[in-house]
Amino acid sequence: EVKRLLLRCAKCNFLTTPFDVEADKELKPGSCVECQSKGPWRVDRVKTLYRNHQRITIQESPGTVEPGKMPRSKDVVLTGDQVDSVRPGDELQLTGIYRCLYDAATNARTCFPVYKTEIMAIHLHRKGDVKLIELTEDKVQQINDLRRDPNLRERIICSM
C-alpha cells in the first residue's frame, strides 16, 4: 500500500512534491511546476514510500455458532508489524476501528445504498501465545520505586 506518493511529469520528467496518501481522500496533483502541464503523470517507483499491508478475513468459531447457521465473517486490515503475524486457523483477540466504506460504483449499479465494512486492526493477540518476560534487577528496583512514589497517580495522568 502506498504511504507517500511521488509523481513525475510525463512531459518534462520533473518530480513533484510528495503526496501523503489516505484511503478515503482523492488524490489531485494539479499542474507541473516546471512546464505548467496538467498531466499525464508517472509514479516514481524508487522514491515512493510503501507500507506493509495485509487483508485477512476473520470468522466466528464454528463451535460457537448455532446448528444450521453459517459463521459470520469480516475483513480486517493489518499494517506494519502486524503483517504475517497470524496464520489461518488462529484464534484471535482483536482491537480495531470498524470502518464503513462507501462504494459509489456499486450504489449506482444497484440503485440502493450498499456499504462495505472492514476493521482496521490496532492490536492483535493470538490465543495460546505465551511471551516470556525477564525482569532485570534494575527493572525490579524501578518498579518498586514507582510503587512507593506518593505522586504516582499524578505522574500517570501527566503522561497521557
Side-chain angles (χ1 to χ4, degrees), residues 57-129:
T57 302
I58 58 173
Q59 173 180 304
E60 286 180 302
S61 177
T64 62
V65 179
E66 295 178 24
K69 294 200 174 181
M70 293 291 292
R72 293 175 289 186
S73 62
K74 185 61 55 194
D75 286 343
V76 177
V77 176
L78 306 177
T79 57
D81 294 340
Q82 297 170 342
V83 172
D84 293 332
S85 64
V86 296
R87 296 183 304 269
D90 286 345
E91 287 193 31
L92 303 175
Q93 289 180 341
L94 173 72
T95 305
I97 300 170
Y98 191 76
R99 292 184 12 169
C100 182
L101 305 172
Y102 179 76
D103 186 13
T106 304
N107 291 335
R109 189 173 63 246
T110 62
C111 298
F112 187 76
V114 177
Y115 294 94
K116 183 179 178 189
T117 57
E118 69 181 12
I119 300 171
M120 296 290 295
I122 295 173
H123 177 75
L124 275 177
H125 176 73
R126 287 186 358 202
K127 288 187 179 178
D129 274 0

